[in-house]
Amino acid sequence: MPWIQLVISVAAAVVLTFVVSAVVGWVFGFVAKRKEWAAAFVARMRRPFRWTLLVVLMTIALRTSFDAMFGTPWPGQEAVSQLFRCAVIVVVAWFVGALAIFFEDLGLARYRVDTPDNRVARRVRTQVLILRRLTMVVVVVLALGAVLLGFPGVEAVGASVLASAGLVSVVAGLAAQSTLANVFAGIQLAFSDAIRIDDVVVVEGQWGLIEEITLSYVVVHIWDDRRLVLPSTYFTTTPFENWTRRTSELLGAVELDLDWRVDTGAMRAELDRILAGTDLWDGRTKVLQVTDATGGYVRVRVLVTAKDAGTLFDLRCLVREDLVTWLHAQAPEGVPRSRLQMVDAEPVRPRRPGASSSGSGGLFTGENADSERTALFTQAIPIPIVHDADPAPRPYASSLGAEAEHDPHVAGRPDGRGDGRPDR
């Protein structure tokens, strides 16, 4: 009976699959007692390995049994062969993808992000996550291409697509311009080290952590548990603040407007006591300075440092609260106050009009040479005129004005006429 061979072949394929899986699992289980990666490998690859081995062995068993039962060629051989081939391609792609994810997880395990100085680990994690997505895309595209190329007629379709590739590429580029820009921006962010997973950033006026970086968008976990989703191009075209670009340590300020009578020396001693009693301060910097003294108050600024942004925020709140409490309890004179001064009305005193001194320093007064300068600018200029009875031109004495009576060039002559010469 030919169907007995088919049953035996299928049973043998199933049994061989379980036997090989058991042997491989035992070997890796023995290694896992000494190596942690072996246990992770077994957990990640158990199902893909079993299904891949089962599909490959079943394909071999069925094709061999069908050839023995129906001869070669047998009816429906092409359809069954295409089905087996597609199944093998799918399970192999699954196996390859799982293997790639295992190696990526193995690399991530070496760089932990739950340590204080985790800048390198966050950078590696960001790059590996981007590579994982790219790997999955490549594996799926290759598997889909391998499946399609096995069907008759696909070669002709591919040739026609390649012939119109120029027009299609132009249309696709115009239609997907923003999408492609985000994809390239995501790759740039992953490998340029501009932002990383768990980086503390300030974007759009919001403080938060980088939670996820994809090929098209970036998710920012805001401090109040909201999520701000931004396109990848935002971080390549818009300025933003990255508080953990190099290190996670930060410096923060606490400012207080106090009264002029505040004792800054005692306030410094109180600051030392506050910082000595808390683990939030990292011991790097502590400064108390008076930075301004205007508007009836003195501005006291306290600078402290902490290991990260969250710890710094708590430390600033602690310092502010304890200093305010100390001011009320120990130094109430430093609490800001507003002062008003009451002044009685002053008696009105009679004022005597005094001589004006506006001309003591003028252009033509107030100096020894005022007369010469006055004569220079105000001296009369003789204008010659001609009378009908006298053909010779004579100066017109009456045009000289009142100055002619005292002018040495006019006075002393019988007719009162000058000679027109200012040098005499």
Side-chain angles (χ1 to χ4, degrees):
M1 294 182 292
W3 57 271
I4 296 179
Q5 182 179 357
L6 177 61
V7 173
I8 295 175
S9 300
V10 172
V14 173
V15 172
L16 185 60
T17 299
F18 280 99
V19 170
V20 173
S21 299
V23 172
V24 174
W26 180 82
V27 171
F28 279 93
F30 178 78
V31 178
K33 296 180 180 179
R34 300 182 180 180
K35 303 293 182 178
E36 295 182 358
W37 65 266
F41 181 81
V42 173
R44 171 68 64 179
M45 302 299 300
R46 178 184 290 111
R47 296 180 61 186
F49 176 76
R50 287 180 178 177
W51 280 101
T52 302
L53 183 62
L54 177 61
V55 169
V56 171
L57 293 178
M58 288 290 292
T59 301
I60 297 174
L62 292 176
R63 294 190 63 176
T64 304
S65 300
F66 287 161
D67 291 341
M69 292 173 57
F70 306 110
T72 305
W74 42 273
Q77 182 178 2
E78 293 294 333
V80 175
S81 299
Q82 289 289 355
L83 179 62
F84 289 159
R85 190 182 61 83
C86 293
V88 171
I89 292 174
V90 170
V91 294
V92 170
W94 182 18
F95 180 82
V96 172
L99 189 62
I101 292 176
F102 165 74
F103 284 112
E104 291 165 358
D105 291 340
L106 191 63
L108 290 176
R110 299 180 56 186
Y111 298 93
R112 300 180 58 182
V113 296
D114 56 350
T115 57
D117 189 8
N118 56 3
R119 182 178 63 87
V120 176
R122 289 185 287 111
R123 175 174 59 84
V124 173
R125 183 177 181 83
T126 302
Q127 296 176 354
V128 170
L129 291 178
I130 295 295
L131 286 176
R132 171 177 295 183
R133 292 182 174 89
L134 290 176
T135 302
M136 294 298 100
V137 171
V138 171
V139 170
V140 171
V141 170
L142 291 179
L144 183 60
V147 170
L148 293 177
L149 289 176
F151 291 93
V154 174
E155 295 83 356
V157 175
S160 62
V161 171
L162 292 177
S164 59
L167 180 60
V168 172
S169 61
V170 173
V171 175
L174 294 176
Q177 183 178 1
S178 59
T179 304
L180 293 177
N182 284 322
V183 170
F184 288 113
I187 298 174
Q188 179 181 349
L189 291 177
F191 292 95
S192 64
D193 205 22
I195 56 174
R196 300 171 294 267
I197 300 297
D198 288 338
D199 263 351
V200 179
V201 296
V202 178
V203 292
E204 297 294 320
Q206 301 289 341
W207 182 93
L209 302 175
I210 300 295
E211 185 178 55
E212 184 180 1
I213 301 177
T214 67
L215 291 177
S216 57
Y217 62 88
V218 177
V219 179
V220 181
H221 184 187
I222 305 177
W223 64 275
D224 57 358
D225 283 341
R226 291 180 296 160
R227 265 66 175 180
L228 184 63
V229 181
L230 297 169
S232 299
T233 53
Y234 177 90
F235 293 91
T236 58
T237 58
T238 306
F240 64 94
E241 296 182 22
N242 189 338
W243 290 11
T244 54
R245 179 67 175 80
R246 293 299 180 189
T247 58
S248 60
E249 292 84 1
L250 292 173
L251 182 144
V254 176
E255 292 186 337
L256 301 172
D257 287 337
L258 305 177
D259 193 81
W260 286 69
R261 297 182 299 169
V262 64
D263 188 355
T264 55
M267 200 170 184
R268 288 190 180 93
E270 179 64 16
L271 176 63
D272 294 339
R273 186 194 67 80
I274 294 172
L275 296 180
T278 180
D279 295 333
L280 302 176
W281 182 52
D282 61 1
R284 291 188 300 123
T285 302
K286 59 175 180 178
V287 177
L288 188 147
Q289 295 174 320
V290 177
T291 59
D292 202 354
T294 57
Y297 304 100
V298 293
R299 176 161 296 178
V300 177
R301 184 176 67 179
V302 178
L303 298 179
V304 290
T305 54
K307 62 181 181 180
D308 54 39
T311 306
L312 178 63
F313 181 80
D314 294 338
L315 178 60
R316 292 170 59 195
C317 294
L318 175 66
V319 171
R320 187 182 297 109
E321 179 179 349
D322 287 355
L323 286 180
V324 170
T325 304
W326 175 81
L327 285 169
H328 283 283
Q330 304 295 332
E333 68 277 2
V335 178
R337 293 176 174 86
S338 298
R339 295 178 174 85
L340 296 176
Q341 183 178 3
M342 307 300 293
V343 180
D344 295 335
E346 297 182 357
V348 179
R349 298 179 181 178
R351 300 183 60 185
R352 296 181 179 179
S356 177
S357 60
S358 60
S360 60
L363 180 61
F364 302 105
T365 57
E367 297 181 0
N368 296 331
D370 55 351
S371 300
E372 289 84 353
R373 188 161 53 247
T374 301
L376 178 63
F377 284 93
T378 62
Q379 178 177 327
I381 302 175
I383 302 175
I385 61 175
V386 179
H387 296 276
D388 296 339
D390 190 1
R394 294 181 301 171
Y396 183 44
S398 62
S399 66
L400 299 179
E403 293 84 355
E405 298 179 0
H406 306 287
D407 194 339
H409 306 298
V410 178
R413 296 194 56 161
D415 55 358
R417 300 172 181 172
D419 56 2
R421 299 180 62 185
D423 59 338
R424 293 184 183 179

